Amino acid sequence: MEFKDFPLKPEILEALHGRGLTTPTPIQAAALPLALEGKDLIGQARTGTGKTLAFALPIAERLAPSQERGRKPRALVLTPTRELALQVASELTAVAPHLKVVAVYGGTGYGKQKEALLRGADAVVATPGRALDYLRQGVLDLSRVEVAVLDEADEMLSMGFEEEVEALLSATPPSRQTLLFSATLPSWAKRLAERYMKNPVLINVIKDDAPEKLTVDALGTLAPSSDTTDSASADPGSETTSAPDA
């Protein structure tokens, strides 16, 4: 399977081709069909496996360009660090040149980021603390968010961002699509899935970077399952999937 086999706009495929990207990584091949359909998704993948494109491409495909001044963001990506926020913003801009992407992070002054948000943005890539500051100031309005992404959720937990992340998700419409990516799935990630996601599909590409089927038992504990697992044992509120090979 190649990127051209996915339902992506010609300009997105052209951007990928220009960067020499033709074949998706395992996490991209597993996540893209589901994310492009608008499904909520939990992707378990290591850093450096290409997960950024697994959510950047669906955002690029979903959001139409807009020139409205002061427009509210329609996509929100939360990352644990400034460095990752800048990296993700750069990656999203590269595959979605039709979108205005604004990076929001701490460790720097508020002025330029505030001005950029007030001018209008299609997608905001942010660290949770700074994003919550702007939300409380009335600078960041999340009422039109269509896609919310939690990138490296386990790292955000280890850095103590639980309350900030939940406050930000609570400020977005319940109808949004939510994508969560994490190398591990701590209990907090499971609680997020229960509170803020709709029938999330679970994908694991951690083990030898080969997609692995997951199921959710009645207690909400994420656990690997074999292909012979009786689907009736899964929590009816979640879906399972066998991810395709890259």
Side-chain angles (χ1 to χ4, degrees), residues 16-33:
L16 290 169
H17 180 74
R19 301 174 63 197
L21 299 174
T22 58
T23 304
T25 66
I27 186 61
Q28 293 164 4
L32 282 173

Side-chain angles (χ1 to χ4, degrees), residues 167-189:
L168 291 163
L169 287 177
S170 296
T172 64
S175 58
R176 74 184 178 277
Q177 179 185 19
T178 308
L179 308 174
L180 185 154
F181 292 87
S182 187
T184 62
L185 291 175
S187 58
W188 177 61

Side-chain angles (χ1 to χ4, degrees), residues 52-242:
T52 301
L53 281 183
F55 59 79
L57 292 176
I59 290 173
E61 177 64 27
R62 177 167 180 158
L63 303 186
S66 173
Q67 299 301 320
E68 178 188 354
R69 184 168 177 81
R71 60 191 180 278
K72 300 161 186 164
R74 290 167 287 157
L76 173 68
V77 182
L78 297 178
T79 71
T81 67
R82 166 183 177 169
E83 292 75 19
L84 186 57
L86 288 168
Q87 177 185 328
V88 170
S90 176
E91 190 88 355
L92 180 54
T93 299
V95 297
H98 61 292
L99 301 179
K100 176 61 177 176
V101 180
V102 173
V104 168
Y105 47 85
T108 188
Y110 283 78
K112 290 184 178 180
Q113 294 177 10
K114 179 179 179 179
E115 291 174 5
L117 290 172
L118 292 176
R119 283 195 299 269
D122 300 302
V124 169
V125 183
T127 53
R130 181 58 65 96
L132 188 58
D133 286 347
Y134 286 128
L135 180 71
R136 288 171 172 166
Q137 293 172 21
V139 174
L140 179 60
D141 187 331
L142 301 177
S143 63
R144 292 188 60 191
V145 167
E146 299 176 22
V147 184
V149 179
L150 307 182
D151 191 16
E152 299 200 2
D154 51 351
E155 290 298 317
M156 286 194 279
L157 171 64
S158 70
M159 297 175 71
F161 285 133
E162 305 102 304
E163 292 184 7
E164 290 89 341
V165 169
E166 295 198 37
L168 291 163
L169 287 177
S170 296
T172 64
S175 58
R176 74 184 178 277
Q177 179 185 19
T178 308
L179 308 174
L180 185 154
F181 292 87
S182 187
T184 62
L185 291 175
S187 58
W188 177 61
K190 300 166 193 173
R191 291 200 305 273
L192 286 177
E194 293 171 357
R195 295 175 184 173
Y196 300 103
M197 302 181 79
K198 303 180 295 292
N199 302 322
V201 180
L202 314 172
I203 295 172
N204 181 7
V205 297
I206 289 287
K207 187 176 182 181
D208 300 324
D209 288 331
E212 181 178 0
K213 185 178 178 182
L214 296 181
T215 187
V216 183
D217 67 22
L219 297 178
T221 302
L222 297 176
S225 71
S226 69
D227 289 339
T228 58
T229 299
D230 184 353
S231 61
S233 67
D235 186 328
S238 297
E239 299 179 22
T240 61
T241 183
S242 295

Side-chain angles (χ1 to χ4, degrees), residues 21-57:
L21 299 174
T22 58
T23 304
T25 66
I27 186 61
Q28 293 164 4
L32 282 173
L34 302 163
L36 287 167
E37 289 179 7
K39 293 183 179 294
D40 283 9
L41 173 69
I42 300 172
Q44 193 172 355
R46 296 186 185 92
T47 300
T49 55
K51 57 185 171 55
T52 301
L53 281 183
F55 59 79
L57 292 176

